[in-house]
Amino acid sequence: MFRLFDIALQWKGFPIRKARQELLKIIAQTPQEHEQFIESKKREIVQYHLENNSFYSKLVGTKNYKNWDDLPILSKQNLQKPLQERLSRGYTLKNCYTNKTSGSSGTPFIFAKDNYSHALTWASNMYRFGWYGIDFNTSYQARFYGIPMDFIGNKKERFKDFLSHRYRFSVFDLSDVVLERILKTFSQKKFDYINGYTSAIVLFAKFLQRKNIVLTSVCPSLQVCMVTSEMLFDDDKILLEKQLGVPIVNEYGASELDLIAFQNPEGLWQINSENLFVEILDQNNKAVPYGKAGRVVITSLYNKAHPFIRYDIGDIGILDKKSTLQKPILQQLIGRSNDVVVLPSGKKSAGLTFYYVTKSIIEDDGNVKEFTIKQTKLDCFEIDYVSEKELVPNQIKKIEAAISLYLEPNLSITFVRKNNLDRTNRGKLKQFTSML
């Protein structure tokens, strides 16, 4: 079989065959072997960066360490300096993979991975997508993502799409006219799966709902849909399953790291314990018990070009009580730690709680296509929304009453109807933003 995707990775210097073989060996380990493997890789990657990375050795303050828990937590702010100052000895911008984070956390930076580490990332992706019968070399992907708007960047991305056997739908314009064209494309092409940003695919599903169309009726080859990069709410998942007509798989990843968690066929959000070591920590940087919420802190066990050791990704999550070291299960991803609602009374709440309360009312009649919330002052919030028609006073009163009940009374809520909502330069939609 002609495996174009594998060939393209090998040609670009990413040894995918070797990475796939190593990944399968790790997966086959016994629980005892995996525990030894994790401890060994943790020691190995820390010692490597202490000896070969001046940025990391300065951060730690020594070239030797005794206890894992004594190692500093690496923040995104630590990484906002030129990449050349953060690369390990022997690595340059030309001999490793480099990219930039999307900036959806508000703290973008450029990062690097050595070629083998990046190949392991792809091997991990391929293995997990394979749970659902998806092969990157042969399965045809409908991709809902952003795309560079400049000519050269756009053509490069389209060429990558060709090599990766995928067809890209840009999420920067999702008007009904464009969604109609997307639907027509689905009727003409034999897509095997959908992959892309949650908000964009949900918007497409709402369009299908208004037209009373199930996507598999026009594209019967479709098998599964993977959503990523944004929160997937339970009611949105139900909508997607109904209107797309296929299983919905939730993934959680970060471009600077890897695929962090992927919903397995049993419906559990299984964490990648082959390439990563994931901790859930409290404010004192101590591990919390399974079932308790804390900061998601991740170590990349293979990346020698750039240290991601005890790296605070900026999210709040909970590990399920059923978790083991070999098979950690992410019970819940609560949201970003910097997206916190701070109220006049001093009460604090996750920003997505605010969004969820509003969502339960604002979408009742199907008028509102999508919306975002901004906290502009301690007691002031702005709800920007895209809809067929203006919200009526009765709807506004319901939303204000729900916010008063679940958060606190006497908050000022401003509603702004827009033609489209602001997205990051990669097309992500940030549901809640604090301007404080």
Side-chain angles (χ1 to χ4, degrees):
M1 185 189 296
F2 190 60
R3 302 182 66 82
L4 184 60
F5 190 79
D6 284 8
I7 292 169
L9 287 174
Q10 288 284 158
W11 179 71
K12 288 190 285 187
F14 307 127
I16 187 62
R17 285 191 284 271
K18 180 182 175 185
R20 190 183 284 118
Q21 289 168 0
E22 176 154 4
L23 182 73
L24 292 176
K25 287 180 183 176
I26 299 168
I27 291 165
Q29 291 169 345
T30 65
Q32 295 76 18
E33 288 170 340
H34 192 76
E35 183 176 355
Q36 292 171 0
F37 161 78
I38 291 291
E39 290 306 311
S40 172
K41 294 303 293 184
K42 283 162 62 180
R43 285 194 301 273
E44 181 184 318
I45 198 68
V46 172
Q47 202 56 49
Y48 181 88
H49 285 300
L50 287 176
E51 293 174 3
N52 294 281
N53 192 289
S54 58
F55 158 77
Y56 188 68
S57 62
K58 285 177 187 173
L59 185 71
V60 175
T62 178
K63 291 215 171 180
N64 294 289
Y65 84 104
K66 293 182 179 178
N67 299 313
W68 178 263
D69 290 345
D70 293 337
L71 291 170
I73 303 300
L74 184 65
S75 71
K76 297 194 178 197
Q77 286 76 19
N78 292 142
L79 303 175
Q80 287 191 308
K81 55 176 63 182
L83 179 58
Q84 290 92 330
E85 296 178 20
R86 293 180 274 121
L87 288 174
S88 298
R89 184 185 303 130
Y91 290 100
T92 68
L93 300 180
K94 292 183 178 180
N95 67 5
C96 58
Y97 171 80
T98 61
N99 206 342
K100 186 177 182 180
T101 63
S102 67
S104 58
S105 66
T107 317
F109 59 88
I110 298 171
F111 65 90
K113 290 182 185 178
D114 65 83
N115 287 354
Y116 187 60
S117 174
H118 192 54
L120 275 167
T121 293
W122 278 115
S124 175
N125 287 345
M126 293 164 132
Y127 170 70
R128 284 167 171 79
F129 275 67
W131 290 345
Y132 297 91
I134 299 303
D135 183 333
F136 286 7
N137 286 283
T138 57
S139 301
Y140 196 19
Q141 178 191 138
R143 189 173 183 82
F144 285 77
Y145 268 70
I147 189 167
M149 302 306 285
D150 65 285
F151 181 80
I152 294 176
N154 187 280
K155 295 303 178 187
K156 282 176 66 177
E157 208 63 35
R158 293 291 185 192
F159 183 62
K160 284 164 63 178
D161 287 340
F162 168 74
L163 293 176
S164 304
H165 205 46
R166 62 198 186 203
Y167 186 96
R168 184 179 302 243
F169 299 109
S170 174
V171 300
F172 294 122
D173 182 358
L174 293 170
S175 60
D176 279 4
V177 173
V178 174
L179 292 173
E180 192 71 60
R181 289 203 295 266
I182 290 174
L183 177 59
K184 185 177 181 182
T185 304
F186 270 93
S187 71
Q188 296 169 335
K189 295 182 180 292
K190 293 184 177 180
F191 291 115
D192 294 294
Y193 68 114
I194 296 172
N195 185 219
Y197 295 152
T198 308
S199 63
I201 300 172
V202 167
L203 199 60
F204 182 45
K206 289 178 181 176
F207 168 78
L208 294 171
Q209 185 181 49
R210 292 197 300 275
K211 294 180 72 72
N212 196 27
I213 293 173
V214 175
L215 191 57
T216 47
S217 68
V218 298
C219 184
S221 58
L222 201 61
Q223 300 170 41
V224 66
C225 170
M226 284 81 171
V227 295
T228 189
S229 295
E230 299 158 341
M231 294 293 286
L232 174 64
F233 295 97
D234 290 342
D235 55 346
D236 285 338
K237 184 174 183 180
I238 292 168
L239 172 73
L240 290 174
E241 287 172 340
K242 180 182 176 184
Q243 297 305 143
L244 302 185
V246 295
I248 306 303
V249 177
N250 200 359
E251 69 171 46
Y252 167 44
S255 55
E256 66 269 35
L257 292 169
D258 211 321
L259 193 57
I260 300 168
F262 196 80
Q263 187 179 321
N264 66 22
E266 289 78 49
L268 300 174
W269 226 0
Q270 187 172 328
I271 285 177
N272 171 2
S273 65
E274 296 86 38
N275 305 346
L276 305 175
F277 175 61
V278 177
E279 301 173 87
I280 306 292
L281 305 183
D282 64 17
Q283 292 306 307
N284 297 315
N285 299 332
K286 302 298 181 186
V288 302
Y290 290 158
K292 298 288 185 182
R295 293 147 55 222
V296 181
V297 173
I298 301 179
T299 297
S300 179
L301 297 172
Y302 281 90
N303 191 355
K304 292 184 175 179
H306 186 291
F308 284 106
I309 298 169
R310 307 200 85 196
Y311 165 60
D312 189 334
I313 194 171
D315 290 335
I316 303 293
I318 301 172
L319 284 181
D320 195 281
K321 291 181 180 179
K322 297 190 289 285
S323 296
T324 64
L325 184 64
Q326 190 170 28
K327 191 178 177 181
I329 302 298
L330 188 61
Q331 176 185 317
Q332 188 180 2
L333 188 65
I334 297 171
R336 303 208 73 89
S337 55
N338 63 339
D339 291 344
V340 176
V341 182
V342 181
L343 299 168
S345 66
K347 178 181 175 181
K348 293 183 179 180
S349 181
L352 283 166
T353 306
F354 191 103
Y355 176 85
Y356 195 76
V357 169
T358 308
K359 179 182 174 67
S360 64
I361 298 168
I362 203 169
E363 297 184 333
D364 269 355
D365 63 355
N367 171 42
V368 176
K369 296 178 181 178
E370 54 183 357
F371 71 99
T372 56
I373 297 170
K374 294 177 190 171
Q375 182 171 17
T376 54
K377 296 179 183 177
L378 200 59
D379 62 344
C380 294
F381 297 83
E382 179 183 306
I383 298 178
D384 296 339
Y385 67 98
V386 178
S387 66
E388 304 263 334
K389 51 187 182 291
E390 290 271 2
L391 289 172
V392 298
N394 185 46
Q395 288 173 304
I396 290 173
K397 282 182 182 177
K398 279 187 180 179
I399 295 166
E400 290 174 338
I403 290 169
S404 179
L405 177 65
Y406 287 97
L407 293 160
E408 66 182 54
N410 304 316
L411 299 175
S412 174
I413 314 294
T414 304
F415 295 83
V416 181
R417 185 182 175 205
K418 294 191 168 186
N419 292 324
N420 50 65
L421 298 177
D422 293 334
R423 283 177 152 83
T424 69
N425 60 356
R426 291 193 182 177
K428 293 184 185 180
L429 185 68
K430 195 172 183 189
Q431 285 102 350
F432 175 83
T433 304
S434 175
M435 313 294 283
L436 299 185

